[in-house]
Amino acid sequence: MSVQSAGRWGLVAQFPAPLIARFARNRLAVAGLVVVILFLLFCFLGPLLYSTDQIHTDLTQVNLRPSGAHWLGTDAVGHDELGRLMYGGKVSLLVGLAAGVLATVIGTLWGAVAGYAGGWVDAVMMRVVDAGIAIPALFILLVVSAITTPGVPGLIVILGLVSWLVPSRLVRAETLTLKSRDYVLTLRAIGGSHSRAITRHILPNSVSTIVVAATFQVADAILLVAYVSYLGLGVQPPSTDWGGMLSAGLTAAYSGRWWLIVPPGLAIILVVCAFNAVGDGLRDAFDVKGRG
């Protein structure tokens, strides 16, 4: 095997059995993965088994308590709350996953270019990142949402554009280490291009950092969607997400209609904690140097 390919295949050699085994030893991470899978099945396959009308209102079925007909009761306009939980969860998970991936892609490319280029290019690019981190993402999201009414695609793009800063710093730090490795220096010595060095060596060997960052970005995106929707600036009716359900059910909770606020609140907590647990487990599984 040549020096050029050694770096690229060094990390790949860890896949998949050793990585899976190390991940499986972390019971909390495995539990988090199970929770994520169950919620994905619940939100995307559940409506096929438990069909409800989440578009039209039914004022004869408003604020009903949980029963055999409506397992989690109904809301103020007659929507079945269990069906609403599935419908809102689909939006929350879709936006969170897509925005997390988008933010990670942007941050990965930005950080890799900055770290590999070095010098004034790195300085300028990272000052942009520092300036962006100084402004809270929630503040930017609230301002944009107040100016326009974003749908699901709009929320994905906005969240991706305000959440890429942290992944860029992580990937830059990894790139600064990798660009001095023998296989990268050898590639450059034989005339290999900068783009080839980044795409064939830097990014493949940064996969652990990228995957872990993506996991945490998904959790952060789900929380940001919940924040904005709770304030009434997220997706608009008849669409909803878990944050919007919390906002709609807040006043009803004071009237004893707990079923309008407890299920979406628990769903947000469980999913965010589950993604964070998976991220911790992946970080430990990839951390070869940290193993005894």
Side-chain angles (χ1 to χ4, degrees), residues 130-165:
D130 292 340
I133 291 178
I135 305 174
L138 181 58
F139 174 76
I140 299 175
L141 194 56
L142 288 175
V143 171
V144 174
S145 298
I147 296 173
T148 182
T149 303
V152 171
L155 273 178
I156 292 173
V157 173
I158 294 170
L159 283 171
L161 292 178
V162 302
S163 304
W164 60 272
L165 303 169

Side-chain angles (χ1 to χ4, degrees), residues 40-280:
L40 289 172
L41 294 175
F42 173 76
C43 295
F44 288 90
L45 296 183
L48 301 178
L49 303 176
Y50 189 83
S51 180
T52 59
D53 184 358
Q54 297 296 324
I55 304 297
H56 303 95
T57 61
D58 186 355
L59 299 182
T60 65
Q61 300 290 317
V62 299
N63 295 325
L64 297 180
R65 298 185 66 84
S67 64
H70 302 282
W71 292 4
L72 287 180
T74 62
D75 62 12
V77 292
H79 291 142
D80 182 274
E81 189 69 3
L82 179 58
R84 200 81 176 153
L85 193 66
M86 298 176 184
Y87 186 74
K90 184 186 298 184
V91 174
S92 292
L93 290 173
L94 178 61
V95 172
L97 288 167
V101 170
L102 177 61
T104 304
V105 169
I106 296 173
T108 295
L109 295 176
W110 188 278
V113 171
Y116 184 81
W120 68 268
V121 175
D122 179 36
V124 171
M125 293 180 72
M126 296 317 295
R127 294 301 76 74
V128 172
V129 173
D130 292 340
I133 291 178
I135 305 174
L138 181 58
F139 174 76
I140 299 175
L141 194 56
L142 288 175
V143 171
V144 174
S145 298
I147 296 173
T148 182
T149 303
V152 171
L155 273 178
I156 292 173
V157 173
I158 294 170
L159 283 171
L161 292 178
V162 302
S163 304
W164 60 272
L165 303 169
V166 173
S168 71
R169 294 182 67 91
L170 296 174
V171 174
R172 172 188 176 265
E174 190 75 13
T175 302
L176 289 174
T177 301
L178 293 173
K179 74 175 185 178
S180 61
R181 297 289 176 86
D182 290 341
Y183 46 84
V184 177
L185 296 176
T186 302
L187 175 65
R188 296 294 302 130
I190 63 175
S193 65
H194 296 301
S195 60
R196 183 179 178 86
I198 293 175
T199 57
R200 298 296 295 274
H201 295 291
I202 301 295
L203 293 182
N205 283 281
S206 302
V207 65
S208 61
T209 300
I210 295 170
V211 170
V212 174
T215 307
F216 289 122
Q217 286 303 309
V218 171
D220 290 343
I222 292 174
L223 274 180
L224 283 173
V225 173
Y227 293 154
V228 174
S229 297
Y230 180 80
L231 296 174
L233 299 175
V235 294
Q236 300 301 306
S239 296
T240 190
D241 57 62
W242 288 334
M245 293 177 66
L246 278 177
S247 179
L250 182 61
T251 56
Y254 294 112
S255 302
R257 294 192 287 273
W258 56 267
W259 59 90
L260 298 181
I261 192 169
V262 172
L266 285 176
I268 294 172
I269 293 172
L270 287 174
V271 167
V272 170
C273 289
F275 272 109
N276 284 329
V278 171
D280 288 335

